[in-house]
Amino acid sequence: QVQLVESGGGLVQAGDSLRLSCAASGRTFSVYAMGWFRQAPGKEHDFVAAISWSGIDTVYADSVKGRFTISRDNAKNTVYLQIDSLRPEDTAVYYCAASSRLTYARPGKDQYDFWGQGTQVTVST
């Protein structure tokens, strides 16, 4: 088991930046591939970004490429999501997730075993 706690969300203006953090506890964090997903009101969980256990392999949704950056610090058991040039359509609850089955970064949410409670990001115009 691994427990995940997201932080760093908030109310920001379009064009601002945020850095979301996801702190992990429990089993060895470094063996898990990690992902970020988001859920806007009335919508499904959408994939945002993922990173392999080593941090070398990353993958992004097309809608966030060039604006979002995923990274991890295995010594701190933390994965980050840097969000730049925020847009109103980025408004959502952002969740981090851990996969014990993935070697590489992959987008499929069904491959992630553990989920955090989420952090709200609201972008105003």
Side-chain angles (χ1 to χ4, degrees), residues 27-33 52-54 72 74-75 77:
R27 293 188 65 183
T28 306
F29 170 75
S30 61
V31 303
Y32 292 91
S52 63
W53 67 268
S54 67
R72 68 190 295 161
N74 287 342
N77 290 347

Side-chain angles (χ1 to χ4, degrees), residues 13-17 84-88 123-124:
Q13 292 187 329
D16 285 350
S17 296
D84 297 320
S85 302
L86 276 155
R87 304 169 180 171
V123 184
S124 64

Side-chain angles (χ1 to χ4, degrees), residues 1 4 25 33 42-43 46 59 63 67 76-78 82-83 97 100 103 106-107 110 123-124:
Q1 292 282 342
L4 304 172
S25 60
K43 296 189 176 181
D46 289 331
V59 63
S63 60
R67 297 190 300 121
K76 295 183 178 180
N77 290 347
T78 302
Q82 177 68 37
I83 309 175
S100 61
T103 300
R106 293 291 182 269
D110 292 342
V123 184
S124 64

Side-chain angles (χ1 to χ4, degrees), residues 10-95:
L11 174 62
V12 297
Q13 292 187 329
D16 285 350
S17 296
L18 277 177
R19 188 175 79 157
L20 307 183
S21 298
C22 174
S25 60
R27 293 188 65 183
T28 306
F29 170 75
S30 61
V31 303
Y32 292 91
M34 300 294 296
W36 284 97
F37 295 77
R38 65 186 180 185
Q39 187 175 27
K43 296 189 176 181
E44 298 287 328
H45 280 78
D46 289 331
F47 170 74
V48 174
I51 188 167
S52 63
W53 67 268
S54 67
I56 294 174
D57 184 37
T58 59
V59 63
Y60 296 91
D62 288 342
S63 60
V64 306
K65 283 180 181 176
R67 297 190 300 121
F68 288 28
T69 304
I70 189 170
S71 62
R72 68 190 295 161
D73 185 339
N74 287 342
K76 295 183 178 180
N77 290 347
T78 302
V79 63
Y80 304 98
L81 186 68
Q82 177 68 37
I83 309 175
D84 297 320
S85 302
L86 276 155
R87 304 169 180 171
E89 54 264 38
D90 295 320
T91 295
V93 178
Y94 284 72
Y95 298 89

Side-chain angles (χ1 to χ4, degrees), residues 110-121:
D110 292 342
Q111 300 183 82
Y112 290 83
D113 309 293
F114 307 102
W115 294 77
Q117 294 299 307
T119 185
Q120 176 72 47
V121 173

